[in-house]
Amino acid sequence: MRRESLRRFWYHFGRNPLSLLGLSIVTLVVVGALGAPWIAPYPEHAGRFVNFAEAGQPPSLHHLLGTDTFGRDLFSRILFGYRISLALGVVVLGIAVPLGVTLGLWAGYIGGGIATWIMRLSDVFVAIPPLVLAMAVLGVAEPSLTNAMMALTLMWWPWYTRMIYNQVRSLRLEGYVVAAQIIGASATHIMFREILPNTLPNILTKAALDMGFVILIGASLSFLGLGVQPPTPDLGTMVAEGARYLPDLWWLAVFPGLAILFVVLGFNLLADGLRDALGEG
Amino acid sequence: MADILLEVRDLTKEFAVGRKRVRALNGVSLGLEEGEILAVVGESGSGKTTLANLVLGIEMPTYGDILYRGTPLKTPRPLHMRRRLQYVQQNPWTTLNPRRTVFQSVALPLAVHKLTPPRLWRERVAELLHLVGLGPEFLDRYPHALSGGQRQRVAIARALAAQPEMVILDEPTSALDVSVQARVLGLLLEIQARFSLSYLFISHDLAVVRNFARRILVLYRGQVMETGPTEVVFRNPVHPYTRLLLASVPVVSEEEAALRPSWPWDAQDRLGPGEGCPFSSRCPWAQELCWRERPSLVPIQKSHLVACHFAELFVEEVSHHG
Amino acid sequence: MIAVSLLEVKQLNLSLRTHTGLAHILKDVSLRVEAGERVALVGETGCGKSLTLKAILGLLEGKGLVVSGKVLFEGEEILGTPRILRLRGVQIGFIPQDPAASLNPTFSIADQLLAVVRRVRRNLPKEKAWALIKEALVEVAVPDPDRVLASYPFQLSGGLCQRVLIATALVNRPKLVLADEPGTALDVTVQAQTLRAMRHLTEKSGSSVILVTHNLGVVREFADRVYVMYAGTIVEHGPVKSVFQTPRHPYTRALLDSVPRLTGGGLPQGLDGHIPDYTSPPKGCRFRPRCAFARPECAEEQPLRQVAEGHEVACVLYAEVPRG
Ligand SMILES: Nc1ncnc2c1ncn2[C@@H]1O[C@H](COP(=O)(O)OP(=O)(O)OP(=O)(O)O)[C@@H](O)[C@H]1O
Ligand SMILES: Nc1ncnc2c1ncn2[C@@H]1O[C@H](COP(=O)(O)OP(=O)(O)OP(=O)(O)O)[C@@H](O)[C@H]1O
Ligand SMILES: [Mg+2]
Ligand SMILES: [Mg+2]
């Protein structure tokens, strides 16, 4: 019967061309990033590579998106940049989502004094714009990829806590939850086996959407010099550096910028598609 | 006389709604014998589900006692009570978790109460499904692939998995088609006889109650209006509310239509003080006394009890006609 | 000249595209309503009752929809024509299945009723319009019309919402009222009162009614004639008396036999199985897989054959009867 649900999912998902576009973009980016060492025309350009002979070349057949001021192939660097972006997203959400969801389940189902405090805390976090909060944290800590990840994780869990909390408050009155309580099932069973699976569509949709956001904010932090430090090929850093050579070497800022836009758009479209298709139950 | 399994004494439940307190249940007493089916009928909001929730221990009574085999029940209920007392819900569409298979749902009581070793779960669940008329092909299905009747069968199998002594059935067939309803009710009767279960059967369908339960208890706004053996109450409904209920049932044959008491349909509702009989505002025969004073439940005959100041009058009237 | 029926549905077919394929739901549905007549459409859940009403009302839309057939109102085609837009709410009233969801929560009851009245009598002075809608509520036994008029839908009980909807459907004295399960969500006592009010009112204004229900008791209490629907097909129809006293189709019989009786006598047998999958319904009689009398001929199309005055049945058991 799983197959039947899957078929229904594909039916609704496949009906919307934008969802398919989102999925294609995301697949392309993921494959490109994972396969960067093999796909990139000049994998060695990802690191401390210098070849001033080819510096500052505009896009050509040789270098699809041109080269930077050190003579490095921009396309190769963007592919490697995606690795950083995706890693950032996966690590941040990989920690923030399970943490936020567990706290949300607890606060919503068991409640009590600690739960109240968790919810208050999440209220505070949610009220502050993410970029501002991350900047504040990184203003204290030293800018680095790890610290950027920590900062973003810290501000991301409350969103999931709130979302799950609200859902649990209504789901815990559902017939099947009451049935499990009457049978005498444990709170752990009810939270993780009865309630959690029914919140998964929402979690998935939000996580897909947030992948785009985390990547965007990660890039913004690097752009401001608060995130990944050169020479690691981060898209935000690349935009920041490229901006110094505008408008002559325009491709240096424009293409990494477009690359960010591309992946964020991909995740947004994918999330929209997921929401529609999973909502069809 | 058989032993009393469940006894409820003067049960009262109030809910806070805003500033006001709403009495969902007001001094209800009842007894359920071992192996007996007692039907609780009443319109929406009369407190049927509240009664079930109190007995199940989902809610705390404001006042009153619930005794099981003579001992008062503790809230929250100890695990062994949660096995003995099972529940089949009103709504087949929400009673099963959409993300869990039939097997997972039915096996839950087995796991919680350690009734069967895990390696035998599938076998046992298949056995239970067979008991409710479903084949083993249903084991790995998800609820969305089941019809309402099939879901309700699964819910019954889940209740049976706990090997209960008593089951509360909260309108188990009200969401089902008549053709399916008959099958599910038949199944419930069969199971009841086979395992000598006791049922507290909540319903608003009097025709179903007539054919399903041995005794009936009529609730109105949280109070017992009339109670007695089903046959007696249907032949001789005394309380005006019971008579209104019976008069309202849409029936499919002349014989049934003839059995329904007459009712002065054109009488208008009168809004009045809420001190007395809860039905007085809708009762065409209400007198000064009815507005003022709440009637207590008194026997008309042995085991036929009515809460109406003018019960005697209606007994007479009915015997004239019938 | 043959008199024209108020409403005539001819050979209505309806298919819907779903994720499992094309669902062939309504098959050759034909029905007829004369002026002043109360007709019931009865059948189990999912058999296509609501879809039939929606098709008549032109409320169906969407990409994956295939509709064919005729719907004639006073002899004029209304299926797929803009004419229905002018008729709906004026000549044809509708009482939808879900009362709470059918009233707009952002407008008061008075506003919603006035809007309906104004569709017909655009220039009615305010006091007269107000008196009219108040009267409309009194007619459906609303005890406290002024309070109800000033209320918003969520402030009213289900029973009151239902009565407001009935009043809305009837306020313009339509020639035809389509009611989808009025009162099934209500208590029996309220349901009985609601049906009484509806019968009384439509009698007074001479309106015809199509009442959709799954409750055979309601059919007997309310309607003059009944259409029995199974899996998107009409299997039997006729005067209520005739159909209830001598049901012919095995499905009608099974349905009637499933109803527990107030007189007692034990629980009925009921019926096994369920409605077929509409993406691949059985050929011929759609009840065949559940029928105790099924035989090979049932795989052929069964036309409606007259078995008594105005009483027709589509079943091979009556094949010897000349076709009506
Ligand atoms: N948790 C609650 N908070 C406030 N009021 C409640 C609550 N539960 C029930 N009530 C009120 O108590 C009364 C009885 O409700 P209950 O659900 O027991 O009725 P019921 O007989 O089961 O009705 P139905 O036939 O609609 O299921 C109603 O007036 C209801 O509004
Ligand atoms: N928009 C839709 N898309 C797909 N299937 C639909 C749609 N609307 C209705 N159906 C299907 O068409 C069939 C008939 O539906 P309909 O609502 O007419 O049934 P009904 O007889 O009114 O049942 P009920 O008594 O439950 O209201 C059902 O099997 C239903 O699942
Ligand atoms: Mg209830
Ligand atoms: Mg319907």
Side-chain angles (χ1 to χ4, degrees):
Chain A
M1 280 303 119
R2 269 283 178 235
R3 218 178 316 134
E4 146 82 23
S5 335
L6 213 64
R7 202 166 57 183
R8 185 164 25 184
F9 170 77
W10 273 115
Y11 175 78
H12 290 295
F13 190 84
R15 266 208 314 201
N16 186 351
L18 285 179
S19 318
L20 290 176
L21 179 66
L23 183 67
S24 318
I25 292 177
V26 169
T27 313
L28 219 64
V29 168
V30 169
V31 168
L34 290 180
W38 302 278
I39 295 171
Y42 307 94
E44 67 277 13
H45 290 196
R48 279 181 203 284
F49 176 91
V50 183
N51 177 7
F52 288 113
E54 295 199 348
Q57 290 190 0
S60 66
L61 275 183
H62 221 63
H63 297 285
L64 278 177
L65 305 179
T67 60
D68 67 6
T69 51
F70 294 99
R72 297 180 294 198
D73 181 50
L74 202 57
F75 179 61
S76 303
R77 283 184 64 79
I78 285 179
L79 284 187
F80 278 93
Y82 273 148
R83 285 169 83 96
I84 304 281
S85 300
L86 289 180
L88 179 76
V90 168
V91 170
V92 167
L93 294 178
I95 301 171
V97 174
L99 180 71
V101 165
T102 308
L103 290 175
L105 281 171
W106 172 333
Y109 188 71
I110 297 175
I114 301 175
T116 317
W117 280 107
I118 293 174
M119 292 319 293
R120 290 237 179 104
L121 194 66
S122 72
D123 281 340
V124 173
F125 273 102
V126 164
I128 306 172
L131 192 58
V132 175
L133 190 64
M135 281 168 65
V137 173
L138 292 171
V140 182
E142 184 180 317
S144 72
L145 178 61
T146 327
N147 283 343
M149 280 178 179
M150 289 204 329
L152 289 176
T153 308
L154 188 68
M155 45 185 263
W156 231 280
W157 67 265
W159 295 91
Y160 286 85
T161 305
R162 296 210 64 74
M163 180 179 82
I164 296 300
Y165 175 83
N166 289 329
Q167 234 191 322
V168 173
R169 295 309 283 180
S170 68
L171 283 179
R172 73 196 180 112
L173 303 174
E174 285 283 315
Y176 54 85
V177 174
V178 174
Q181 287 168 339
I182 287 169
I183 286 165
S186 66
T188 328
H189 171 93
I190 292 175
M191 287 192 297
F192 290 100
R193 295 291 170 80
E194 305 281 347
I195 296 179
L196 180 62
N198 286 288
T199 60
L200 278 181
N202 281 355
I203 296 176
L204 237 81
T205 307
K206 185 161 171 54
L209 195 65
D210 282 355
M211 265 311 268
F213 276 140
V214 173
I215 289 173
L216 188 63
I217 292 191
S220 315
L221 288 176
S222 320
F223 178 83
L224 298 170
L226 294 172
V228 181
Q229 301 299 308
T232 316
D234 179 87
L235 296 174
T237 319
M238 284 156 77
V239 175
E241 290 189 348
R244 288 193 273 149
Y245 301 98
L246 280 174
D248 303 326
L249 307 183
W250 54 270
W251 56 92
L252 287 187
V254 169
F255 286 128
L258 283 179
I260 297 171
L261 197 71
F262 187 62
V263 65
V264 171
L265 179 76
F267 276 113
N268 268 285
L269 292 177
L270 178 66
D272 272 355
L274 284 177
R275 182 177 53 224
D276 292 345
L278 293 171
E280 297 283 345
Chain B
M1 201 175 114
D3 288 338
I4 299 275
L5 191 67
L6 177 84
E7 195 180 350
V8 166
R9 283 195 206 138
D10 207 9
L11 201 60
T12 300
K13 175 71 187 176
E14 288 185 351
F15 290 107
V17 180
R19 286 266 178 94
K20 283 192 290 188
R21 299 190 70 75
V22 172
R23 273 210 172 175
L25 224 50
N26 194 353
V28 169
S29 300
L30 62 88
L32 180 67
E33 288 173 17
E34 220 162 307
E36 187 192 36
I37 304 179
L38 170 67
V40 178
V41 304
E43 63 189 23
S44 182
S46 58
K48 306 184 296 294
T49 300
T50 305
L51 176 65
N53 286 345
L54 288 170
V55 173
L56 288 164
I58 300 175
E59 311 258 19
M60 286 277 272
T62 310
Y63 184 78
D65 301 307
I66 303 169
L67 293 86
Y68 195 83
R69 293 191 190 286
T71 27
L73 284 177
K74 288 197 227 47
T75 317
R77 301 280 186 266
L79 203 58
H80 69 91
M81 269 316 300
R82 292 187 187 233
R83 186 185 68 68
R84 290 180 198 190
L85 227 166
Q86 286 299 310
Y87 184 44
V88 175
Q89 298 174 16
Q90 185 165 4
N91 189 343
W93 306 103
T94 60
T95 186
L96 299 177
N97 191 330
R99 304 264 164 194
R100 288 171 70 77
T101 62
V102 166
F103 166 72
Q104 287 174 320
S105 287
V106 178
L108 182 62
L110 302 179
V112 169
H113 299 289
K114 304 194 172 56
L115 294 167
T116 315
R119 67 193 158 79
L120 295 179
W121 282 354
R122 269 189 90 79
E123 214 173 295
R124 175 74 181 133
V125 171
E127 207 176 290
L128 287 160
L129 289 182
H130 180 71
L131 202 65
V132 296
L134 296 176
E137 70 272 16
F138 283 92
L139 278 170
D140 295 314
R141 292 211 184 150
Y142 283 89
H144 74 76
L146 306 182
S147 69
Q150 288 168 339
R151 286 172 197 229
Q152 213 56 322
R153 283 167 194 263
V154 172
I156 294 168
R158 177 175 61 190
L160 290 178
Q163 300 170 15
E165 296 169 341
M166 173 183 161
V167 184
I168 298 184
L169 305 161
D170 191 354
E171 312 211 21
T173 58
S174 66
L176 304 179
D177 276 317
V178 268
S179 62
V180 184
Q181 161 180 292
R183 289 271 155 169
V184 172
L185 289 172
L187 171 72
L188 283 169
L189 274 190
E190 201 183 298
I191 287 167
Q192 189 266 343
R194 181 153 164 197
F195 301 104
S196 52
L197 298 175
S198 305
Y199 285 163
L200 191 67
F201 179 71
I202 293 172
S203 179
H204 61 242
D205 189 332
L206 287 165
V208 166
V209 167
R210 172 70 182 89
N211 294 285
F212 192 83
R214 199 171 68 83
R215 279 200 304 132
I216 181 174
L217 183 127
V218 181
L219 272 186
Y220 185 76
R221 299 227 186 131
Q223 296 184 34
V224 181
M225 298 285 108
E226 182 161 2
T227 178
T230 318
E231 219 168 299
V232 175
V233 173
F234 275 66
R235 201 165 0 96
N236 185 6
V238 172
H239 198 285
Y241 179 59
T242 316
R243 296 162 59 103
L244 170 61
L245 273 180
L246 273 169
S248 302
V249 182
V251 296
V252 295
S253 65
E254 294 298 333
E255 304 89 75
E256 294 170 273
L259 187 85
R260 292 186 302 194
S262 58
W263 185 262
W265 288 104
D266 297 325
Q268 282 284 321
D269 288 4
R270 293 169 292 176
L271 302 170
E275 284 301 298
C277 172
F279 190 61
S280 52
S281 62
R282 287 171 76 184
C283 182
W285 298 280
Q287 307 281 322
E288 177 56 31
L289 177 66
C290 305
W291 298 105
R292 215 176 48 230
E293 208 172 288
R294 179 183 156 190
S296 51
L297 201 61
V298 292
I300 296 285
Q301 291 169 0
K302 101 175 154 44
S303 74
H304 184 184
L305 286 73
V306 179
C308 175
H309 291 301
F310 301 99
E312 300 298 330
L313 225 122
F314 292 108
V315 180
E316 299 236 324
E317 192 194 319
V318 168
S319 51
H320 272 300
H321 283 278
Chain C
M1 201 187 104
I2 308 160
V4 180
S5 301
L6 180 67
L7 180 85
E8 201 163 355
V9 176
K10 284 184 177 170
Q11 303 284 312
L12 184 65
N13 284 276
L14 188 152
S15 309
L16 277 168
R17 192 164 293 288
T18 70
H19 71 281
T20 46
L22 196 61
H24 304 280
I25 299 177
L26 300 185
K27 185 176 106 183
D28 294 339
V29 170
S30 296
L31 36 98
R32 188 172 41 79
V33 184
E34 304 296 347
E37 196 181 28
R38 282 191 302 270
V39 170
L41 185 59
V42 69
E44 287 176 288
T45 173
C47 73
K49 307 182 296 289
S50 297
L51 281 180
T52 307
L53 286 197
K54 284 181 190 161
I56 295 172
L57 285 160
L59 290 175
L60 291 169
E61 50 196 36
K63 271 183 279 180
L65 195 68
V66 190
V67 186
S68 71
K70 278 185 185 327
V71 179
L72 307 176
F73 186 75
E74 298 185 313
E76 275 188 66
E77 177 70 83
I78 57 170
L79 187 65
T81 67
R83 209 169 110 77
I84 182 64
L85 299 179
R86 272 176 283 127
L87 293 173
R88 215 193 290 152
V90 181
Q91 302 267 28
I92 305 181
F94 180 45
I95 305 172
Q97 187 161 5
D98 181 0
S102 312
L103 288 163
N104 189 334
T106 54
F107 292 100
S108 72
I109 301 297
D111 287 341
Q112 306 196 30
L113 266 167
L114 281 175
V116 175
V117 170
R118 292 259 184 255
R119 285 199 54 197
V120 182
R121 281 159 280 192
R122 209 153 295 157
N123 303 317
L124 199 66
K126 191 155 190 239
E127 308 78 59
K128 285 212 172 134
W130 191 267
L132 191 74
I133 59 174
K134 193 169 157 183
E135 174 62 22
L137 287 187
V138 172
E139 282 175 339
V140 290
V142 170
D144 188 2
D146 284 315
R147 184 185 65 90
V148 171
L149 281 176
S151 308
Y152 287 82
F154 57 86
Q155 296 169 321
L156 303 178
S157 69
L160 276 176
C161 279
Q162 184 76 65
R163 286 184 218 185
V164 167
L165 278 172
I166 294 175
T168 313
L170 292 175
V171 68
N172 286 332
R173 299 282 179 256
K175 290 186 178 153
L176 176 66
V177 181
L178 307 183
D180 198 350
E181 313 246 5
T184 33
L186 308 176
D187 290 314
V188 272
T189 56
V190 183
Q191 181 187 322
Q193 270 165 349
T194 310
L195 286 175
R196 272 171 180 279
M198 246 176 74
R199 192 163 68 194
H200 178 70
L201 268 181
T202 50
E203 249 163 26
K204 208 166 87 177
S205 62
S207 309
S208 305
V209 185
I210 302 182
L211 177 92
V212 160
T213 181
H214 60 250
N215 188 328
L216 287 162
V218 168
V219 173
R220 184 182 159 281
E221 312 262 323
F222 185 83
D224 309 317
R225 274 195 316 121
V226 58
Y227 287 85
V228 182
M229 202 164 190
Y230 180 77
T233 60
I234 302 287
V235 295
E236 180 164 4
H237 73 91
V240 167
K241 268 227 168 72
S242 176
V243 172
F244 275 64
Q245 266 164 19
T246 44
R248 309 294 172 108
H249 198 283
Y251 176 65
T252 317
R253 298 214 294 247
L255 207 56
L256 268 167
D257 282 345
S258 308
V259 180
R261 302 300 165 101
L262 209 52
T263 38
L267 277 174
Q269 264 284 304
L271 186 62
D272 256 338
H274 44 83
I275 282 188
D277 176 10
Y278 284 113
T279 53
S280 53
K283 283 220 161 45
C285 175
R286 288 188 171 180
F287 186 58
R288 178 160 52 101
R290 292 171 83 181
C291 183
F293 306 94
R295 25 171 138 159
E297 301 93 282
C298 299
E300 290 154 29
E301 295 298 323
Q302 296 301 325
L304 282 164
R305 302 182 181 91
Q306 179 148 0
V307 287
E309 178 76 50
H311 185 166
E312 294 188 325
V313 55
C315 177
V316 73
L317 295 177
Y318 307 93
E320 68 282 2
V321 183
R323 199 178 157 174

